[in-house]
Amino acid sequence: MSALNQTSIVLYVMKALKANGSWCGETHVQKTLFLCQELLGVPSHFKFILYKHGPYSFQLSEHLQGLIADEFVYVRSRPPYGPSLELSDDAAVFARPVAVDGHLSRRLDFIAGKVGRKGVGELERLATAVYVNEKHGVHLSLEQRAGLLTSIKPHVAADAARAAFLEVDSLQRESQKVAA
Amino acid sequence: MPGAHQLGYWRRVVRLAALCHDIGHLPFSHAAEHELLPEGWNHERLSFALINSDEMRAIFLNSVPPINPDHVAKIAIGQKKLSEFAPDVSFSVWETLLSEIIVGDAFGVDRIDYLLRDAYHAGVVYGRFDHHRLLQTLRILPLSDQEGDSIEPWLGIESGGLEAAEAMSLARYFMYKQVYFHRVRRAYDIHLKDFLKDWLAGKFPTDIQEHLKLTDNEVMAALLSAARDASQKGHIHARRFVDRQHFKMLYERTPSDQKVNRAATDLLFDELVREFGADCIRRDSYTPRAASLGFPVLRADNRIESSINLSETLQKIPSATFDLILCDRTILTRATSFLKANREKIITPVKEVAS
């Protein structure tokens, strides 16, 4: 995938997150794109590893820095919480190729709609749950998967981990319909 | 987090990791890394191979108490780079925190070291900042972008260290603008790269023993020899280096040209190559890769807040970036005239005419 197509997807996701009431900090963009790639096969091709707040892509982080340097995106301070990423007027032009691709935009809109209102902690748990499912398989019991999540992220409580897997299982079922 | 009795072990791991962090650098460090190593290789992978060499493993394992070489490799290289060639290696939260001490964007000791050292050796003061204050105020704090509902631990600072963190970020920005991105320094990187391409007649070796045989000294000796003998490989590039006949800056990306056309530098470069030939024209550019300057700060009232909210300075530090076109000095006058006469025409987008 070309950098331009990746840019279109990233900018479209940010736009969709904002339309769904998201705070739209870097973590929100990171986790949303991870879910889009893993659950709906969105071809943004960012490589994710376990890092800050769960699955994290250094490639995506660098891509966002490039967009900030090119003035497509800017950082807005929003005390007392972390900063939000805002889109410039030019950004809409570069998001257009995705907007006119109904199959792609439907998938991105679906995930943005599901996670737009979620905070960092919830996104961290959801994305890490998807990572555990991908890596260890969904055939494990809920307790086993929750145990794996809390071993990866010891600051996550067991009941919150279990709730995350239940939500991911439901999200996965819905995603299959959207991807079809 | 390990118990108190284990902290001594991890302290030694971090020290060894700091010493081994850049052990795999090629001669002249980054200058030729991207083009002159085989696909999939970089200096971090060479560092990894060196740390895991029989010789180094024996040193780690024979120390008292023994040090696990895998721990040193992880902390020295960090998740970002290690995931590129060892994707199955996983980090615990503790290991992530420790590797941030070495490679982190905000407070990595690698960054602290290279800014201070490069500023000293280059004879500039831009790279200096109060690293002692920074280290004294370093803390492990919960990281959160939003409503404080995740308590994942991360490296942060007490609010008293915020000015030192600002100074470091400014130092980095100025060092990039004034030293690392200086047009003459960039020109010599290009000439060194051109020379190495000819001299190596291929790529740098990745076999550890062969890698260790090549240092700055071997390259400098070869460069001087090639500069004196026209029959040797890389002679023309070595001459430019030794005689200080480096390429001169012909064009630098400007906001006003970017406003006319975002692809202005691409168009100008293509046109200059067409007019004067690829041997006489070079392009060099950099897009920022560092992560944002956000990190948790422990305020005096014990609340934790993002550095971006607390520091207008960090909010406003721009990304250091550049995009240059350089040319052989023998064509500089002609090329400058050509640009003066044609720049506007080349970069102005052609308007579509409705048929």
Side-chain angles (χ1 to χ4, degrees):
Chain A
M1 159 159 284
S2 72
L4 192 60
N5 289 342
Q6 277 188 322
T7 298
S8 301
I9 291 175
V10 172
L11 294 175
Y12 186 90
V13 160
M14 289 175 64
K15 205 165 149 241
L17 278 173
K18 288 199 166 291
N20 283 283
S22 171
W23 189 269
C24 203
E26 181 179 344
T27 304
H28 303 76
V29 179
Q30 284 267 358
K31 305 313 164 200
T32 306
L33 265 164
F34 173 74
L35 295 173
C36 290
Q37 279 191 192
E38 296 305 314
L39 296 179
L40 285 156
V42 167
S44 40
H45 301 301
F46 289 110
K47 190 175 157 193
F48 284 86
I49 61 167
L50 270 188
Y51 185 61
K52 218 182 265 188
H53 293 312
Y56 181 92
S57 170
F58 285 99
Q59 292 170 337
L60 173 56
S61 178
E62 288 172 5
H63 200 91
L64 285 168
Q65 288 307 306
L67 293 175
I68 291 167
D70 286 339
E71 297 175 351
F72 289 123
V73 171
Y74 58 95
V75 180
R76 181 160 70 100
S77 167
R78 294 175 73 184
Y81 305 125
S84 293
L85 298 174
E86 302 287 342
L87 296 169
S88 73
D89 293 342
D90 288 349
V93 178
F94 285 86
R96 203 171 292 151
V98 175
V100 297
D101 180 343
H103 184 51
L104 182 54
S105 60
R106 194 171 62 246
R107 288 181 283 170
L108 299 174
D109 285 333
F110 169 74
I111 295 292
K114 289 288 177 187
V115 303
R117 292 264 170 204
K118 292 192 186 298
V120 169
E122 276 181 287
L123 288 168
E124 176 183 19
R125 293 190 290 273
L126 270 189
T128 310
V130 170
Y131 175 89
V132 168
N133 278 349
E134 293 288 321
K135 196 156 172 83
H136 302 284
V138 287
H139 60 278
L140 294 176
S141 71
L142 180 64
E143 282 306 315
Q144 285 172 314
R145 286 185 286 156
L148 282 169
L149 195 154
T150 53
S151 71
I152 293 169
K153 298 284 174 192
H155 55 279
V156 174
D159 56 344
R162 280 190 290 273
F165 279 103
L166 291 174
E167 189 171 350
V168 162
D169 290 347
S170 154
L171 196 57
Q172 251 164 345
R173 283 191 295 275
E174 286 184 68
S175 296
Q176 282 165 0
K177 290 180 201 158
V178 176
Chain B
M1 203 162 289
H5 65 287
Q6 287 180 303
L7 287 175
Y9 169 82
W10 284 105
R11 185 180 296 119
R12 293 176 66 209
V13 169
V14 170
R15 285 177 175 162
L16 288 166
L19 288 169
C20 295
H21 167 70
D22 272 342
I23 202 169
H25 258 309
L26 295 166
F28 295 96
S29 304
H30 292 282
E33 184 170 323
H34 297 300
E35 290 173 46
L36 287 170
L37 273 174
E39 181 75 25
W41 282 85
N42 51 28
H43 79 268
E44 288 90 355
R45 189 166 171 186
L46 285 164
S47 297
F48 184 77
L50 276 164
I51 292 168
N52 282 298
S53 64
D54 292 343
E55 196 178 339
M56 296 281 282
R57 286 184 76 87
I59 294 169
F60 298 133
L61 293 170
N62 291 329
S63 63
V64 182
I67 299 285
N68 182 342
D70 296 341
H71 288 156
V72 178
K74 279 205 245 184
I75 307 305
I77 292 159
Q79 274 159 294
K80 179 182 178 183
K81 290 294 177 181
L82 205 54
S83 69
E84 291 174 9
F85 52 85
D88 293 331
V89 176
S90 61
F91 282 62
S92 67
V93 171
W94 175 245
E95 289 166 341
T96 300
L97 278 171
L98 295 186
S99 72
E100 285 295 302
I101 293 174
I102 309 292
V103 302
D105 283 321
F107 310 113
V109 72
D110 176 44
R111 179 165 291 179
I112 292 176
D113 169 61
Y114 78 66
L115 288 171
L116 294 169
R117 190 160 35 86
D118 291 349
Y120 175 77
H121 286 291
V124 297
V125 293
Y126 302 111
R128 289 169 58 180
F129 54 94
D130 188 354
H131 63 287
H132 297 292
R133 181 74 175 147
L134 201 57
L135 299 184
Q136 282 161 3
T137 54
L138 213 56
R139 293 290 177 270
I140 296 173
L141 298 169
L143 168 76
S144 182
D145 277 336
Q146 196 184 350
E147 57 276 35
D149 63 349
S150 169
I151 53 164
E152 180 167 43
W154 207 253
L155 276 191
I157 53 167
E158 290 178 2
S159 57
L162 196 53
E163 286 73 20
E166 290 172 343
M168 181 179 162
S169 298
L170 280 167
R172 182 169 179 272
Y173 174 72
F174 291 133
M175 282 295 284
Y176 270 81
K177 292 293 279 186
Q178 292 286 337
V179 179
Y180 305 131
F181 293 168
H182 192 282
R183 59 188 182 277
V184 176
R185 205 204 73 79
R186 301 305 301 191
Y188 279 105
D189 257 14
I190 290 170
H191 298 318
L192 179 65
K193 216 179 321 181
D194 287 345
F195 169 74
L196 287 169
K197 275 181 195 166
D198 286 358
W199 181 62
L200 288 167
K203 304 278 184 183
F204 273 111
T206 52
D207 171 78
I208 289 306
Q209 293 309 322
E210 294 303 309
H211 163 75
L212 292 173
K213 286 179 190 168
L214 276 178
T215 69
D216 290 3
N217 292 339
E218 277 70 34
V219 174
M220 281 306 289
L223 193 91
L224 289 169
S225 172
R228 293 188 201 107
D229 181 353
S231 69
Q232 286 191 32
K233 286 177 182 171
H235 168 74
I236 186 167
H237 310 302
R239 279 295 297 270
R240 282 182 182 134
F241 214 96
V242 173
D243 295 345
R244 295 191 58 80
Q245 296 296 306
H246 58 84
F247 276 23
K248 303 283 264 185
M249 190 178 80
L250 178 60
Y251 176 82
E252 184 175 21
R253 183 175 68 184
T254 65
S256 54
D257 285 355
Q258 287 292 297
K259 219 166 194 173
V260 176
N261 193 332
R262 280 196 175 265
T265 319
D266 297 334
L267 294 168
L268 290 168
F269 177 71
D270 290 346
E271 206 53 44
L272 285 160
V273 166
R274 228 185 323 272
E275 185 70 18
F276 297 100
D279 286 346
C280 294
I281 306 290
R282 290 286 190 285
R283 170 103 177 259
D284 195 14
S285 63
Y286 176 86
T287 307
R289 287 192 291 266
S292 72
L293 299 170
F295 50 83
V297 179
L298 179 63
R299 293 164 34 138
D301 60 4
N302 276 335
R303 282 196 294 155
I304 293 161
E305 203 162 327
S306 165
S307 56
I308 301 288
N309 290 339
L310 296 175
S311 166
E312 283 192 41
T313 305
L314 291 178
Q315 281 175 38
K316 287 172 183 165
I317 295 177
S319 300
T321 176
F322 76 93
D323 198 349
L324 300 174
I325 298 176
L326 302 112
C327 75
D328 190 322
R329 58 177 63 210
T330 59
I331 63 156
L332 181 63
T333 311
R334 280 194 298 133
T336 305
S337 305
F338 175 83
L339 266 191
K340 197 174 175 186
N342 298 292
R343 184 184 56 81
E344 210 171 306
K345 192 173 75 188
I346 294 168
I347 69 170
T348 304
V350 179
K351 283 188 183 140
E352 286 179 25
V353 180
S355 56

